[in-house]
Amino acid sequence: MINRLFNVSLQTKITGLLLGVIISVIFILSIFFAYSTVEQILSNKYRLSMQTARTVSLLPSVSESLQEGDGRASLQFLTDQFSMENDADFIIIQDKEGRVLTHPNEEYLGRVQAFGDGFKARVFGGYYNMESDEFLAPSIVGIAPILSETGSVLGVTTVGYLKKDIASLIYERIRFILYLSVAVIIIGIVLGYLLARHIRKETFGYEPREIAALYSRQDTLLSSLNEGVVAADEHDKITLINTSAKDLLEVNDSYIHRPIYELLPPLEYSWVYETKDEKLNQEIYLNNKSLFVNLVPMFTQGEFTGLVATIKDRTEITEMINTLSEVKKYSDDLRAQNHEHSNKMHLISGMLQLGNYNQVLELIDREMNHIQKNNRSIFNQIEDTNVQAILIGKMGRASEKKVDFMIDEGSYLSPLPPHIEVAELITIIGNLVDNALEAVISVPHPLVSFSTIDIGNDIIIEVSDNGIGMKEEEQETIFQPGYSTKGDRSKKRGFGLYNVKAAVNKLNGIIEIDSSRQGATITVYIPK
Amino acid sequence: MKKYVGLLLILTLVFIAGCSSESSGSEADFPEGDIEFVAPATPGGGWDATARAMQKILGDAGIIEENINVSNKPGGGGEVGWQYLLGQDAHTISINSSLLVANNLLGQSELTYEDFTPLGILSTEWVSVAVPPDSPYETGAEVMEALKEDPTSLTIGVGPSLGNSDHLSFVQAAQEFGVDVSQVEFLVYESGGDVLTALLGGHVDVATMSVSESKEQHLAGEINMIAVSSEERIEGLEEVSTWQEQGVDMVFPHWRGVMGPPDMSEEEIAYWDEAIGEMVETEAWQEVMNNNEWEPFYHNSQESQEFLAEQTERFDELMTEAGLIE
């Protein structure tokens, strides 16, 4: 029920609230004013009637003419004068028998009016106010005794104000307050309407709950995005950073309300701010990540209100490409193995046709030995199937390249812990072996040996070659993206060792390079 | 919840502080310094006599060890003295009487008993009605009958002002009889003595005055007392019948009491209750009563409060015409 009551438009809410407040305030104030006005008018009349009655009763000429029993005309003249001066509706003087001596209405003169409301004055000489309807009409009266010098009562004066006149006077005053109140209420309605309209305009006519829904939807949307989103207002202050952006840029919410160029390195913001045009695919390199940034201006109802930067992590794309190329290499490696195998089968079939059975047996023995030697260490000592697969692939590749690929007989590897993913493993082992194969391509008796061991807290992977080694400065640069010993950089190569470094970093491992003229050894330590 | 507990605690503390600051005064050692009795009249009247009797007895009996002064502040039927009392502390108390009630009802004073702290009603006089010895009327009832017949047939002397006990008691009796009081001729004299003179001189047919004023002349045969407002016949005036005996259900005390300034503390009120309560028990007080034709009429502070409220209501009824309609 209450919910239903609040489930109205913003317009209604604001107008209702404003009106509620204004009307209550006005109501309270009006009641207060009306009350004090009435109070004031009444007490004024009370005071005035009493004062006039007292004054008239104390006039020496009044008590004299009562004692003498004459001079009515002069009394009437006197009271008329006092009525005029004090706006009193009537001043009535009665003698002690109750005979009316002065009266605004002539026909009442001389009539005897019993003392009802005048009783206290006539008998006890009391001075008092009361509401009376003894004379003319209901009125507020002040009553005073007319006393002799000794204090005996000679008569009674009654001074009155008619209630209907007082009521109309009160009504007059209150009507003014009412008009004022109505005016203020109308102003309140207009203001409420304008305010509500203004707010609606600012919110595209959405109701607050719709805005809330929109906002939460946007929030969910933004945080579910893989792309980083940073929004800035027209004064280049950041207003929003989504979760992905926080991860990519490695910041938290403290950057909100700070200038956008503090968060992102110099891009052409000012250009966007000036031309109100978008700037797409700017590449920046930050925190060991290569990022693509799009700057798009934001318009609200045709007004430029800021810009949105979307940030794509290029590293991911690169990694995807790398993984893809690794997989390609495998199929190549397998093709190579297949080729080797069919070559050998041709050789055997040739020998058999020639009848060289001994040579056939020799060849098969040699092959068997080689395979057994390698396979023993691969299948008996290296228990992780992924590593097995990688190594078998690499063996095929090595034999195609006529490189001797040795797996160290002391290698031992239990199945790897789950936090080390296949992709990372492929990246590390694959790239290291490929690099070694590349390094020995031009030396006599090329040899690449691989060993791994997981005794202790670390998994240790070591790849050695008998190439020409690396220079000092080379060692420092080989892990940078785009480094390659092979030709120019434009061909998007040279990410191999950079990727190894990234994968090892991710696993909190370390890389060591040991290089001499007789070749290089790269060792990777990965904590379990 | 915790918040409210805290708030309550604070309020309670403030309240306690407020209370203790009120009671941490020096009331434990009240009174400290001179005591003042206000007689709101010139020396020689009932108010003055009451104040001086109290001063003497309380001092002599050692009930109050402090110095007691009586100050006369005459004017306005008690108004001057009572206005003065408003601004004093509990060391000052004043004599009062039914005028405290009547003055306000008759528009002659803004003050009511509620502006003060009633401390006690001490004594009362009774009101008598007297006629000259040669008057045709033998009883109060006969006078009333005549007035009922023709309200203007008799003049009644009263003093010093309309609305005092003498006047009120006569009016009440007349009303009980069904007299049209608004037509009765009251002649006002400046004092009780003047009323007596007027009666003796034949200027008025009937006079109403306190027993102490009329007793001597009545006993001397100069005037004839024909009714008293007491409950029972008065000692020494056994031949005068009460209004009640004459068929008017009315007892009208002309009482005198004491009151203190407004907002007295419980302790101060208790102090005066004890002192006055002790005083009215003394031999000396009885003697004062006898010497003045007064009667003991003691009410303590609490009873005085109720008595005054009841008097106010009664007078108000009497003074408005509504009192006529039974």
Side-chain angles (χ1 to χ4, degrees):
Chain A
M1 181 69 225
I2 293 284
N3 280 347
R4 276 247 306 280
L5 194 67
F6 284 107
N7 201 355
V8 292
S9 74
L10 188 66
Q11 170 98 38
T12 320
K13 253 185 224 172
I14 290 178
T15 315
L17 181 74
L18 261 178
L19 272 190
V21 170
I22 289 176
I23 288 176
S24 343
V25 168
I26 283 183
F27 184 73
I28 291 164
L29 285 180
S30 301
I31 293 278
F32 172 74
F33 276 127
Y35 177 78
S36 64
T37 303
V38 170
E39 196 69 352
Q40 190 195 342
I41 291 174
L42 285 181
S43 74
N44 199 12
K45 294 299 177 197
Y46 270 103
R47 203 171 37 80
L48 212 56
S49 60
M50 190 68 251
Q51 199 177 301
T52 311
R54 208 183 274 269
T55 310
V56 170
S57 74
L58 291 175
L59 289 171
S61 53
V62 174
S63 53
E64 271 168 34
S65 73
L66 277 171
Q67 270 164 320
E68 309 290 318
D70 59 5
R72 262 196 218 172
S74 66
L75 269 188
Q76 181 71 52
F77 178 73
L78 199 72
T79 55
D80 285 352
Q81 208 181 344
F82 269 92
S83 299
M84 287 276 293
E85 278 171 14
N86 297 299
D87 277 337
D89 291 313
F90 59 83
I91 298 181
I92 289 163
I93 295 177
Q94 293 166 278
D95 66 10
K96 60 187 176 192
E97 281 86 32
R99 195 170 293 109
V100 176
L101 304 182
T102 70
H103 198 288
N105 199 335
E106 273 195 28
E107 60 185 86
Y108 286 90
L109 293 175
R111 292 192 191 180
V112 172
Q113 170 86 40
F115 289 104
D117 294 335
F119 181 81
K120 201 198 283 193
R122 168 65 187 86
V123 179
F124 303 96
Y127 295 83
Y128 51 101
N129 271 116
M130 63 189 306
E131 292 179 21
S132 157
D133 39 20
E134 209 165 78
F135 300 106
L136 273 70
S139 33
I140 286 171
V141 297
I143 301 174
I146 298 162
L147 301 175
S148 70
E149 280 165 37
T150 54
S152 304
V153 178
L154 303 171
V156 172
T157 314
T158 307
V159 177
Y161 290 92
L162 294 180
K163 276 191 187 171
K164 66 175 188 341
D165 293 357
I166 297 172
S168 68
L169 183 65
I170 289 170
Y171 174 67
E172 198 82 351
R173 295 260 186 100
I174 288 178
R175 200 173 53 170
F176 173 70
I177 295 172
L178 274 181
Y179 284 160
L180 208 62
S181 309
V182 169
V184 174
I185 287 171
I186 287 169
I187 289 171
I189 293 174
V190 170
L191 281 180
Y193 172 76
L194 288 178
L195 179 64
R197 211 180 60 164
H198 173 72
I199 291 176
R200 284 185 70 87
K201 206 173 124 193
E202 295 240 299
T203 59
F204 304 146
Y206 283 119
E207 292 297 330
R209 58 179 178 284
E210 291 171 318
I211 295 171
L214 276 176
Y215 180 78
S216 63
R217 213 179 308 155
Q218 178 207 347
D219 215 41
T220 318
L221 206 69
L222 281 173
S223 55
S224 70
L225 276 182
N226 256 336
E227 290 191 7
V229 176
V230 177
D233 61 13
E234 65 266 39
H235 309 295
D236 67 33
K237 297 273 183 300
I238 295 174
T239 55
L240 179 146
I241 311 175
N242 79 343
T243 325
S244 304
K246 282 179 214 166
D247 293 345
L248 283 176
L249 305 172
E250 295 174 17
V251 295
N252 54 22
D253 271 330
S254 65
Y255 273 89
I256 298 253
H257 301 311
R258 280 164 62 178
I260 189 164
Y261 46 76
E262 286 186 18
L263 180 64
L264 289 164
L267 291 165
E268 304 192 42
Y269 306 111
S270 51
W271 190 84
V272 175
Y273 276 113
E274 278 162 31
T275 61
K276 319 259 187 285
D277 207 346
E278 54 191 17
K279 202 88 174 122
L280 299 180
N281 291 336
Q282 301 181 86
E283 197 175 341
I284 56 169
Y285 188 71
L286 203 72
N287 306 332
N288 290 329
K289 296 188 194 81
S290 62
L291 306 173
F292 274 160
V293 182
N294 288 345
L295 293 179
V296 181
M298 189 164 42
F299 294 97
T300 312
Q301 292 172 310
E303 284 280 307
F304 176 74
T305 52
L307 60 79
V308 177
T310 54
I311 304 156
K312 273 195 217 116
D313 190 351
R314 238 195 117 243
T315 327
E316 280 183 20
I317 299 172
T318 324
E319 274 178 10
M320 273 195 237
I321 291 169
N322 289 336
T323 314
L324 198 63
S325 67
E326 294 285 343
V327 173
K328 263 187 178 160
K329 268 190 211 150
Y330 279 116
S331 60
D332 275 357
D333 293 349
L334 290 173
R335 190 198 42 74
Q337 243 185 334
N338 203 7
H339 187 98
E340 282 284 282
H341 188 71
S342 65
N343 276 351
K344 282 173 183 147
M345 292 307 278
H346 281 299
L347 186 62
I348 291 169
S349 122
M351 285 175 171
L352 287 174
Q353 281 173 6
L354 293 173
N356 296 344
Y357 301 116
N358 287 344
Q359 280 180 320
V360 172
L361 281 173
E362 237 171 80
L363 179 73
I364 291 174
D365 274 349
R366 210 170 46 229
E367 280 299 313
M368 291 285 284
N369 273 343
H370 182 73
I371 290 168
Q372 266 171 355
K373 197 175 77 182
N374 265 339
N375 284 11
R376 194 184 322 128
S377 52
I378 291 184
F379 290 108
N380 294 356
Q381 289 157 276
I382 296 178
E383 293 171 19
D384 189 271
T385 47
N386 293 321
V387 178
Q388 285 171 5
I390 296 169
L391 290 174
I392 288 170
K394 290 300 171 196
M395 279 169 73
R397 192 176 172 76
S399 77
E400 193 190 29
K401 290 195 171 204
K402 299 291 173 267
V403 175
D404 206 352
F405 185 62
M406 294 280 302
I407 294 184
D408 193 284
E409 288 185 14
S411 292
Y412 283 97
L413 190 66
S414 314
L416 291 172
H419 74 266
I420 301 175
E421 286 173 21
V422 185
E424 286 153 0
L425 217 59
I426 289 175
T427 303
I428 296 168
I429 299 175
N431 277 307
L432 289 179
V433 173
D434 286 350
N435 256 28
L437 292 177
E438 294 275 345
V440 297
I441 204 127
S442 55
V443 298
H445 313 296
L447 171 66
V448 171
S449 63
F450 172 93
S451 83
T452 177
I453 194 150
D454 66 350
I455 295 166
N457 291 332
D458 292 337
I459 297 158
I460 304 169
I461 297 167
E462 193 173 274
V463 180
S464 312
D465 62 62
N466 59 352
I468 53 163
M470 285 176 257
K471 298 191 190 76
E472 282 283 328
E473 59 268 24
E474 257 186 303
Q475 289 183 28
E476 285 175 19
T477 53
I478 55 165
F479 293 115
Q480 290 194 358
Y483 171 82
S484 174
T485 51
K486 293 172 289 190
D488 63 294
R489 293 180 46 182
S490 58
K491 290 191 178 161
K492 301 278 177 213
R493 341 184 32 136
F495 278 95
L497 283 177
Y498 165 71
N499 290 340
V500 172
K501 174 91 175 161
V504 171
N505 281 351
K506 200 170 156 192
L507 297 171
N508 299 322
I510 43 175
I511 301 182
E512 276 180 8
I513 303 176
D514 181 27
S515 172
S516 68
R517 306 292 299 165
Q518 281 74 45
T521 303
I522 298 184
T523 317
V524 173
Y525 302 85
I526 300 168
K528 279 181 185 167
Chain B
M1 188 65 223
K2 257 190 179 156
K3 208 168 52 183
Y4 294 121
V5 170
L7 195 67
L8 268 177
L9 262 177
I10 290 169
L11 281 177
T12 315
L13 283 176
V14 168
F15 182 71
I16 289 169
C19 289
S20 59
S21 74
E22 256 184 40
S23 56
S24 69
S26 46
E27 271 131 41
D29 20 288
F30 178 87
E32 40 180 16
D34 290 0
I35 299 289
E36 181 182 28
F37 289 167
V38 176
T42 48
W47 280 344
D48 180 62
T50 306
R52 292 189 190 277
M54 282 179 70
Q55 174 192 30
K56 188 168 180 350
I57 295 164
L58 287 169
D60 290 354
I63 297 170
I64 295 181
E65 287 163 10
E66 275 70 17
N67 208 359
I68 304 173
N69 302 313
V70 172
S71 46
N72 292 92
K73 299 201 180 294
E79 181 79 4
V80 174
W82 295 331
Q83 284 286 1
Y84 165 80
L85 178 65
L86 278 182
Q88 302 303 309
D89 67 5
H91 291 80
T92 303
I93 65 172
S94 169
I95 312 297
N96 63 10
S97 77
S98 61
L99 276 188
L100 178 67
V101 177
N103 285 356
N104 175 265
L105 289 173
L106 295 176
Q108 279 143 10
S109 169
E110 292 289 312
L111 301 173
T112 72
Y113 74 94
E114 287 171 327
D115 296 321
F116 300 97
T117 311
L119 292 176
I121 306 293
L122 302 174
S123 64
T124 180
E125 286 188 55
W126 301 111
V127 182
S128 63
V129 173
V131 292
D134 58 352
S135 169
Y137 309 110
E138 297 285 323
T139 65
E142 286 174 21
V143 169
M144 292 302 173
E145 284 301 328
L147 285 173
K148 194 175 175 177
E149 205 62 38
D150 177 6
T152 59
S153 60
L154 299 171
T155 52
I156 294 97
V158 64
S161 67
L162 295 177
N164 63 13
S165 299
D166 303 348
H167 182 225
L168 288 175
S169 68
F170 191 91
V171 169
Q172 193 178 351
Q175 283 196 343
E176 296 278 345
F177 259 97
V179 175
D180 178 3
V181 188
S182 68
Q183 294 300 316
V184 175
E185 185 86 44
F186 287 100
L187 285 181
V188 184
Y189 293 89
E190 291 214 358
S191 68
D194 292 353
V195 175
L196 193 60
T197 311
L199 186 65
L200 291 169
H203 300 294
V204 293
D205 303 311
V206 187
T208 173
M209 54 187 125
S210 54
V211 172
S212 61
E213 286 167 330
S214 57
K215 183 179 179 182
E216 205 178 316
Q217 298 294 335
H218 167 76
L219 291 177
E222 298 288 330
I223 57 170
N224 188 16
M225 220 187 281
I226 54 173
V228 288
S229 66
S230 53
E231 214 160 341
E232 286 157 9
R233 295 199 181 194
I234 296 167
E235 212 177 308
L237 295 166
E238 282 82 359
E239 70 279 11
V240 185
S241 58
T242 63
W243 279 116
Q244 280 187 320
E245 288 173 301
Q246 299 181 35
V248 180
D249 185 18
M250 177 191 91
V251 173
F252 205 106
H254 173 41
W255 54 265
R256 292 192 185 87
V258 284
M259 63 187 180
D263 305 324
M264 279 170 65
S265 70
E266 299 279 333
E267 291 90 339
E268 291 163 343
I269 294 171
Y271 170 84
W272 281 113
D273 258 342
E274 200 175 325
I276 295 165
E278 212 170 318
M279 176 191 80
V280 299
E281 297 295 318
T282 58
E283 295 279 326
W285 183 252
Q286 293 305 322
E287 215 168 299
V288 170
M289 296 287 104
N290 294 336
N291 292 347
N292 289 295
E293 296 295 338
W294 297 342
E295 279 190 28
F297 198 59
Y298 181 65
H299 295 61
N300 68 16
S301 62
Q302 182 56 41
E303 292 160 346
S304 303
Q305 182 85 26
E306 290 157 17
F307 178 77
L308 281 161
E310 177 256 318
Q311 283 275 296
T312 304
E313 201 176 325
R314 182 176 157 191
F315 282 16
D316 193 28
E317 207 170 284
L318 181 61
M319 289 178 182
T320 50
E321 208 206 358
L324 280 171
I325 301 154
E326 303 247 321

